[in-house]
Amino acid sequence: MNCYDFELNISAYIEGELKQAIRENFTNHKEACENCCEKLSDISRLMENLPQMSQLSTSSQFDQKLQNKIREIDNQGPSIWQRLIQLKPLGFEPVPALGFAVAMVMIIGASYLLLNQDGLPNIDFDKLSTQSKQNTQQKFEPSVITPTKNLPSMADSDTSAKSIPKHLENRIQLVGGK
Amino acid sequence: MSNFEITDEELIKKFQNGDVGAYNQLVYRYKDRLLNFIYRFLNDIDRAEDLVQDTLIKLYTHKDSYREIAKFSTWLYTIAANLARTELRKIKRRKTFSVSELSRDDREFIISSTDVEPDDENLAQIFEKNVQRALAELPDDFKTIIILRDIQELSYDEISKIVEVPLGTVKSRINRGRVKLQELLKKKGERPY
């Protein structure tokens, strides 16, 4: 065991959690290495002394302060949001009740608009249909594509000829012949 | 004494059912323990007491969020640890502006500790002060675990739940924390008496 491994196992050794084989290696290293031996004794003394450090107590006003804060909280009561959530109109849970109310408003609104002719905008359906007919009767003129004179053809272009490797030229001719 | 026969879990259940007396019992049981934990963490007694109040207020207002699956003490320590960590972060942010002042304080403390011929009581006080200072220098993860294990003497299992890390990690952190603490104390010229 080296110093690094020794350090990793210090707590387990002090707390008696090391297996027999590792424990023996640990003890052998402890006896051989002065630094590690000192480190072990320092840490075990530290562990003995830490729980014995003085225990603090809360001040004499602590309970009174706490009671005052709790009284303040109790006096404040629940927030508006909490009150809304706790509200149960006609015995319904708040969220379903709200959804039901919104749905009812929408149904009433829609039926009012449908039943009351004055509420709907006046639409001239005859005029609309003649307009749509006129739009469809417009002549359809397909655009004609005319080739520009300046464009070089594939056969004329030097680049296309150059791009075919010589050893492939015969093959191309053969395929064309077929 | 008869009240101590009732477990914390029974008390919180009573409190959840509206028994304020049960809450007062829990406050009585935990206020000093929490104060010691938070004080070791923050090294400021007034702030620590305020945070204990905040923890106990949270217990009052959030009593229903406790479920019986966890130990009550674990749940309460988790609240306290979270509040302490948040507070420490705030303090650190503020202290970055006055690093030079801190180092002056350190020097003064070292001089005073070597000048005085200490008796046993003084030795214990110096040891405690040095431990507090060394703890303050430890990374938060190590510090929390060292305080919970070596000062508050909680089980590894409880600590694992409070800090929400696996048991193996808790064990390795406590070992590394102890080694670091010993090295820091050695640097300060402190030998555990």
Side-chain angles (χ1 to χ4, degrees), chain A residues 89-127:
Chain A
L90 303 169
F92 286 106
E93 287 296 321
V95 175
L98 193 71
F100 180 74
V102 170
M104 286 304 289
V105 167
M106 284 174 75
I107 290 166
I108 292 166
S111 48
Y112 173 79
L113 286 171
L114 285 170
L115 294 173
N116 191 354
Q117 287 293 327
D118 297 337
L120 291 170
N122 289 323
I123 302 164
D124 191 347
F125 289 102
D126 292 333
K127 199 180 175 183

Side-chain angles (χ1 to χ4, degrees), chain A residues 39-145:
Chain A
K39 189 169 266 186
L40 175 69
S41 74
D42 276 1
I43 290 174
S44 45
R45 261 184 290 166
L46 184 66
M47 281 170 67
E48 275 171 31
N49 289 321
L50 282 176
Q52 288 164 21
M53 291 209 309
S54 58
Q55 293 295 304
L56 302 162
S57 301
T58 49
S59 65
S60 52
Q61 302 103 39
F62 181 88
D63 290 331
Q64 191 56 49
K65 269 189 201 171
L66 186 67
Q67 288 304 321
N68 290 343
K69 281 182 185 175
I70 286 170
R71 218 167 289 137
E72 262 177 47
I73 291 166
D74 286 343
N75 290 339
Q76 275 173 4
S79 63
I80 297 168
W81 178 243
Q82 280 173 325
R83 266 184 239 162
L84 270 174
I85 285 174
Q86 282 166 3
L87 218 104
K88 287 188 178 177
L90 303 169
F92 286 106
E93 287 296 321
V95 175
L98 193 71
F100 180 74
V102 170
M104 286 304 289
V105 167
M106 284 174 75
I107 290 166
I108 292 166
S111 48
Y112 173 79
L113 286 171
L114 285 170
L115 294 173
N116 191 354
Q117 287 293 327
D118 297 337
L120 291 170
N122 289 323
I123 302 164
D124 191 347
F125 289 102
D126 292 333
K127 199 180 175 183
L128 268 178
S129 61
T130 50
Q131 270 182 359
S132 62
K133 271 179 193 172
Q134 278 173 0
N135 286 338
T136 48
Q137 278 168 1
Q138 276 181 349
K139 271 190 180 179
F140 176 71
E141 290 176 4
S143 56
V144 181
I145 301 162

Side-chain angles (χ1 to χ4, degrees), chain B residues 9-114:
Chain B
E9 288 72 27
E10 284 167 337
L11 280 175
I12 181 72
K13 206 168 187 181
K14 277 186 172 189
F15 177 44
Q16 283 173 335
N17 292 328
D19 183 353
V20 182
Y23 171 76
N24 290 333
Q25 271 299 313
L26 287 169
V27 169
Y28 178 72
R29 283 184 190 186
Y30 280 93
K31 61 179 183 178
D32 289 346
R33 274 201 259 176
L34 290 174
L35 180 73
N36 280 286
F37 167 57
I38 299 174
Y39 169 68
R40 299 290 171 210
F41 203 83
L42 297 180
N43 199 17
D44 182 329
I45 188 72
D46 294 327
R47 273 210 186 102
E49 201 166 287
D50 286 345
L51 282 194
V52 177
Q53 295 247 341
D54 291 348
T55 309
L56 295 171
I57 290 288
K58 281 219 165 180
L59 163 63
Y60 188 82
T61 52
H62 292 74
K63 61 176 188 286
D64 293 322
S65 36
Y66 170 76
R67 299 273 176 275
E68 239 182 305
I69 42 168
K71 253 181 101 175
F72 173 77
S73 58
T74 309
W75 181 69
L76 197 64
Y77 269 108
T78 310
I79 297 172
N82 287 338
L83 287 173
R85 267 196 291 255
T86 312
E87 185 66 19
L88 195 67
R89 242 176 277 140
K90 279 186 210 164
I91 295 167
K92 275 180 185 170
R93 233 175 287 144
R94 265 178 254 143
K95 274 192 179 171
T96 46
F97 298 104
S98 58
V99 177
S100 55
E101 281 175 35
L102 267 176
S103 58
R104 201 194 310 142
D105 286 351
D106 280 344
R107 251 176 281 136
E108 277 169 14
F109 180 73
I110 290 162
I111 290 162
S112 67
S113 68
T114 50

